[in-house]
Amino acid sequence: MLDRLQRGAFAYITEYANAQNGLIADTSRSGSPCSIAVVGFALSCYPVAVERGWMSRTVAAAQTLKTLHFFWNSPQSERPDATGFKGFYYHFLDMKNGRRVWQCELSLVDTTLLVAGMLTAGCYFDGDGAEAEIRALSAALYRRVDWQWAQNGRETVSQGWKPECGFLHYGWEGYNEATIVYILGIGSPTHPLSLTSFAGWTSTYQWENLLGQDVLYSGPLFTHLFSHAWIDYRGIPDQFMREAHSDYFENSKNAIAVHREYGARNPRGYEGYGRNLWGITAGDGPGNREMRESSRDRRFFGYMSRGVPYGPDDGTIAPWAMLATLPFGSESALRGTRHLLQAYPQVCTNDRFSSGFNPTLAARGDGWLSEGWYGLDQGLLVMMIENYRSGLIWKITRECAVIRAGLKGAGFEGGWLSQCH
């Protein structure tokens, strides 16, 4: 089952790619732009495909190099139709010409996920010829990112920037997927974040006791997974986690336990929820609508970040989410996934999970189902299944000098990080 679902998820990357420039569509829907974060996942998934025999090493290297060439040569300027600025890239790009679309932001976290994929590729492809060029380009692209500029004179980093209005007026507060932003930013050999920036961010954390679990709070499940797709946090706590006698890996396990308990308690009485059906996160939804069902007033939302236990929660489950937690606990991930596939087989077509499913909203008698697929879901699933099966991505990034430097600079220590290299 794992091989089938992992390969089905990877097939999204090849089916919805522009083979000429390496860009990957955000979704499978017609006219979808590229998401730079999805490209970062794709660059990390090519090594998985090589090791699993789904793609030859030569083809994977060629596609990786094509992608890196595009980003290196794409226009970097303050112009509103550029591809990026200061080494960062716009969140969404035109699939053909690679220019900014939708007046979207220059995104720090999405650029970070893209760069994480570049660094993964640079560490994996260790041969001559095209592989040597991959290493050189991935390093050059990373060195070009001006993390100091992104601090905007403050202790912590901004979430983004737009040519029309400058830096966005909100930053990162509270624990979320941005851990990897600070790690790569601090590890930069050219424009590093200040060493105090990570401590400034962790000072906004909320440590709580939720549904019987002590946990560093962040509601959506994906925030406990994204950074972990690349970095093995087992046994390497930072100062905050040392004081809590935990680490970020253990925290994700506790967050998953909160999600399972929330599913079991089902305080809002949604259809299908249970200890073996959970996974509330960012994703597609039924859209803004209201209805009265089972003597309850219900309100449903479109694409948004859902979370537990504080919500928002409209009964929408991400079908891929349980399986993506495999490295943190295979028994609950597999039991939940098997239950989901048996109870609601429509959520998985072509061995690929849809973004969202809402069994409470009875459309056609079997609940609402998201149209098509989202690249972020598929890329994360490929990586997390592989980290469970072989630990491949974690093995690659543990050997990445700049990631190690970023972790140490942010105050992480112990475990594999203390071993000599």
Side-chain angles (χ1 to χ4, degrees), residues 225 228-229 234 249 253 256 322-330 333 383-389 394:
L225 304 179
H228 294 258
R234 291 175 295 181
F249 184 87
K253 290 174 65 174
I256 291 164
M322 290 186 293
L323 195 57
T325 67
L326 265 173
F328 305 98
S330 59
M383 293 176 69
M384 283 308 207
I385 291 175
E386 194 58 37
N387 279 330
Y388 166 70
R389 297 178 81 179
W394 289 341

Side-chain angles (χ1 to χ4, degrees), residues 34-42 91 109-111 113-114 226 230 376:
C34 161
S35 160
I36 60 169
V38 176
V39 178
F41 279 109
H91 192 166
V109 67
D110 292 283
T111 296
L113 301 181
L114 170 62
F226 268 28
W230 282 276
L376 285 176

Side-chain angles (χ1 to χ4, degrees), residues 270 287-291 297-301 313-315:
Y270 287 118
N288 294 318
R289 64 176 84 181
E290 296 182 6
M291 64 175 286
D297 290 321
R298 304 288 199 186
R299 186 179 179 190
F300 300 91
F301 307 99
D313 175 21
D314 63 353

Side-chain angles (χ1 to χ4, degrees), residues 238-252:
D238 64 349
Q239 181 177 345
F240 182 93
M241 281 299 182
R242 284 194 294 276
E243 293 175 356
H245 305 290
S246 185
D247 60 45
Y248 288 99
F249 184 87
E250 290 300 317
N251 190 71
S252 288

Side-chain angles (χ1 to χ4, degrees), residues 6-7 9-14 24 37-56 60-61 63-64 113 116-118 120-121 124-125 229-230 375-387 392-393 396:
Q6 187 183 24
R7 188 165 188 175
F10 175 75
Y12 176 96
I13 291 169
T14 54
I24 315 291
V38 176
V39 178
F41 279 109
L43 290 170
S44 306
C45 290
Y46 294 139
V48 176
V50 172
E51 297 298 316
R52 291 285 162 195
W54 306 332
M55 178 181 278
S56 74
Q63 191 63 12
T64 298
L113 301 181
M118 293 173 175
T120 302
Y124 176 75
F125 290 106
W230 282 276
L376 285 176
D377 310 342
Q378 309 308 322
L380 176 66
L381 197 53
V382 172
M383 293 176 69
M384 283 308 207
I385 291 175
E386 194 58 37
N387 279 330
L392 175 65
I393 305 300
I396 292 171

Side-chain angles (χ1 to χ4, degrees), residues 304-358:
M304 73 178 307
S305 189
R306 298 166 173 82
V308 301
Y310 302 131
D313 175 21
D314 63 353
T316 301
I317 291 286
W320 53 269
M322 290 186 293
L323 195 57
T325 67
L326 265 173
F328 305 98
S330 59
E331 184 178 350
S332 60
L334 291 171
R335 183 188 295 125
T337 300
R338 290 192 178 103
H339 167 70
L340 172 69
L341 291 173
Q342 182 177 11
Y344 304 105
Q346 68 271 27
V347 303
C348 186
T349 55
N350 296 339
D351 295 330
R352 195 177 301 154
F353 286 109
S354 61
S355 173
F357 173 60
N358 193 313

Side-chain angles (χ1 to χ4, degrees), residues 64-73 118-119 122 130-144:
T64 298
L65 190 55
K66 198 171 294 184
T67 307
L68 298 182
H69 273 146
F70 165 78
F71 282 101
W72 181 251
N73 295 318
M118 293 173 175
L119 292 173
E131 297 195 11
E133 192 175 358
I134 287 172
R135 293 195 298 279
L137 272 177
S138 65
L141 283 156
Y142 175 55
R143 289 196 299 266
R144 188 166 69 176

